[in-house]
Amino acid sequence: MSETFTSSSRSRSVSISLLRLTPTCRTRSVVAEMGRRILNDALRSIVNAERRQKATVELKPISTVMSSFLKIMKDRGYIKDFQVYDPHRVGRITVQLQGRVNDCRALTYRQDIKARDIEEYKIRTLPTRQWGYIVITTPDGVLDHEEALRRNVGGQVLGYFH
């Protein structure tokens, strides 16, 4: 549905057509993009601290997806440990680094992936077949690509680390 308004300014008339957009569609995509940017900023902070050979790094603001991503990194041996402080407010996460992270990124765009396409995506994205993980959000939760293949589930790619 569109409405047309005419506005005259100094003997010029301009016709403006307004389209009705549902606010929920725009809001969901903006919120998802904002969360991915927060995750990407945090992961880039980890990489920069690793390159400067720091022992710890502090991440602000935080999210539950970020905690899940860090849990996968910890389980796979890429970071030593992380502590979440005050998760119900703005909060912060302190990460103890191990020196194993070469690169770590979050995708700021939406990338859907099927279970049968995970192996091909891994070969395209990661530098070698020997190390590195792709993190995927699935209906079963946030998983790395190996666990997603075991469970035969697809989802959206959050990011990767190696």
Side-chain angles (χ1 to χ4, degrees):
M1 193 180 254
S2 67
E3 300 173 13
T4 306
F5 295 102
T6 306
S7 169
S8 62
S9 167
R10 294 187 186 172
S11 73
R12 263 196 300 180
S13 68
V14 179
S15 179
I16 301 171
S17 177
L18 299 175
L19 295 174
R20 289 189 181 187
L21 296 174
T22 57
T24 55
C25 294
R26 291 189 326 180
T27 306
R28 285 185 192 149
S29 65
V30 170
V31 168
E33 186 176 319
M34 182 69 100
R36 290 175 187 255
R37 284 185 183 171
I38 291 170
L39 178 62
N40 194 35
D41 289 345
L43 297 179
R44 298 312 300 165
S45 296
I46 290 173
V47 171
N48 290 337
E50 286 272 9
R51 288 182 181 162
R52 289 180 181 85
Q53 298 177 348
K54 301 285 186 183
T56 62
V57 65
E58 189 172 283
L59 308 175
K60 284 192 229 178
I62 65 171
S63 67
T64 55
V65 173
M66 189 185 306
S67 298
S68 301
F69 201 103
L70 291 173
K71 184 179 180 313
I72 291 173
M73 289 180 76
K74 180 184 173 189
D75 292 344
R76 297 301 179 180
Y78 281 79
I79 60 175
K80 286 182 186 174
D81 197 16
F82 67 96
Q83 296 282 330
V84 180
Y85 299 101
D86 201 11
H88 300 294
R89 299 186 71 192
V90 175
R92 72 180 197 274
I93 297 177
T94 303
V95 181
Q96 296 176 1
L97 302 174
Q98 193 164 328
R100 279 195 64 194
V101 178
N102 293 325
D103 194 16
C104 190
R105 292 184 191 262
L107 299 184
T108 54
Y109 56 90
R110 183 176 170 153
Q111 176 70 47
D112 295 328
I113 190 165
K114 296 178 182 174
R116 64 176 179 258
D117 298 334
I118 291 175
E119 191 66 31
E120 178 186 330
Y121 186 83
K122 180 188 88 145
I123 292 170
R124 247 190 347 213
T125 305
L126 297 176
T128 67
R129 295 177 188 224
Q130 295 173 350
W131 66 80
Y133 295 92
I134 296 172
V135 181
I136 304 168
T137 179
T138 67
D140 294 348
V142 179
L143 307 172
D144 62 8
H145 70 272
E146 290 180 353
E147 187 66 27
L149 283 173
R150 254 184 254 125
R151 296 185 186 186
N152 196 27
V153 293
Q156 290 182 5
V157 177
L158 283 178
Y160 62 89
F161 60 92
H162 59 85

